[in-house]
Amino acid sequence: MAMSVPAAADEEAAPEVILRPGDRSEEVKALQRRLHERGFYFGRSNGVYDEQTKFAVWAFQKSRKIMPKAVIGPEMLKAFDRRSRLRPLVPKGAANRVEVDLTYQLLTVYRNRRPVLTSHISSGAEVRYCEGGRCGDAITPVGDFRVTSRAPGWTTGRLGSMYNSLYFVGGIAMHGSTQVPLRPASHGCVRVPMTVSKRLFELVKIGDPVYVRGKIHRAKDHDKS
């Protein structure tokens, strides 16, 4: 009589899903949808692993205390089943507020005390700079602030161009940028990805509290894009 062999013995192990920038697949579309459901991604779920998707991946990884990197595999995919390991910076803050975490380079918008948007950012580089004959310190100030004014669309000043700016102290704003590296690199503003800035501008109004906490790390740049 022929010996039966368990079906599992004939099957090869399922390949691990690895996603990289530039990939186009249903797996990428599923990733975008999961990131959108959790408030990390606000672009189209088009199945293209583009730059905006990469920024959302970084934000999600940092919220789970995973080293941010663009190439992702099972470790990150399994992390969707875990809660964020980052606690609110100001647990007793206003129900509707923005928190800027300089340590993890993350921005979170709360509505009714629930996080509805979490974004990768690039804050002040904390270096001395001189532009157009004027010098200053590239610092994002720590403290409790409020949004004082809003500037929709593109505006250009002596330090560069900003999109959908939300000013919260002097000339320092949260704004969309085409350059949001995996390190603090701004003159003091809080840069966010372009697709995030559109949703951020819809959510945040004049008078909304902005709490800035933490300090930047001067460790090596972990940008592995």
Side-chain angles (χ1 to χ4, degrees):
M1 187 171 81
M3 182 180 296
S4 62
V5 179
D10 293 330
E11 297 176 358
E12 294 183 359
E16 294 183 341
V17 176
I18 303 294
L19 301 177
R20 298 177 173 82
D23 283 355
R24 297 170 179 262
S25 67
E26 288 300 314
E27 287 80 8
V28 174
K29 183 179 290 187
L31 171 67
Q32 291 170 330
R33 287 173 175 167
R34 296 179 82 178
L35 290 167
H36 174 74
E37 290 168 358
R38 289 161 177 78
F40 292 91
Y41 178 69
F42 300 94
R44 293 176 54 206
S45 297
N46 56 8
V48 180
Y49 194 149
D50 56 13
E51 186 175 49
Q52 301 301 310
T53 304
K54 179 185 72 175
F55 291 145
V57 165
W58 284 351
F60 177 81
Q61 290 169 329
K62 288 189 282 187
S63 77
R64 266 59 176 180
K65 294 187 178 180
I66 298 171
M67 182 68 71
K69 55 186 177 181
V71 178
I72 62 174
E75 178 189 15
M76 177 178 157
L77 299 179
K78 291 177 182 177
F80 278 105
D81 298 325
R82 303 197 304 267
R83 289 187 177 184
S84 172
R85 296 176 62 187
L86 295 179
R87 298 179 179 179
L89 298 177
V90 187
K92 296 183 179 180
N96 297 334
R97 66 187 189 273
V98 181
E99 293 187 349
V100 177
D101 187 334
L102 300 181
T103 303
Y104 285 94
Q105 292 290 285
L106 283 174
L107 176 151
T108 304
V109 177
Y110 286 82
R111 283 296 174 266
N112 296 320
R113 303 194 183 282
R114 296 178 60 86
V116 297
L117 179 155
T118 303
S119 176
H120 159 69
I121 66 169
S122 179
S123 65
E126 297 194 0
V127 296
R128 187 73 174 167
Y129 69 86
C130 291
E131 298 279 352
R134 298 183 180 180
C135 297
D137 296 311
I139 294 175
T140 302
V142 172
D144 298 350
F145 311 100
R146 288 185 181 273
V147 175
T148 57
S149 62
R150 292 158 38 98
W154 285 104
T155 55
T156 301
R158 63 184 180 86
L159 297 178
S161 298
M162 307 187 297
Y163 186 76
N164 282 355
S165 301
L166 296 159
Y167 293 90
F168 61 93
V169 54
I172 293 178
M174 301 172 283
H175 67 82
S177 174
T178 58
Q179 301 293 325
V180 194
L182 198 57
R183 66 182 187 281
S186 82
H187 292 94
C189 285
V190 177
R191 300 180 188 172
V192 300
M194 292 296 293
T195 56
V196 171
S197 72
K198 297 172 184 177
R199 182 58 178 151
L200 182 66
F201 202 78
E202 292 173 351
L203 288 170
V204 179
K205 309 302 180 184
I206 291 177
D208 282 358
V210 179
Y211 303 122
V212 183
R213 299 288 190 272
K215 59 182 180 179
I216 69 170
H217 290 305
R218 292 196 173 279
K220 62 181 180 180
D221 180 8
H222 294 295
D223 186 347
K224 298 182 180 180
S225 61

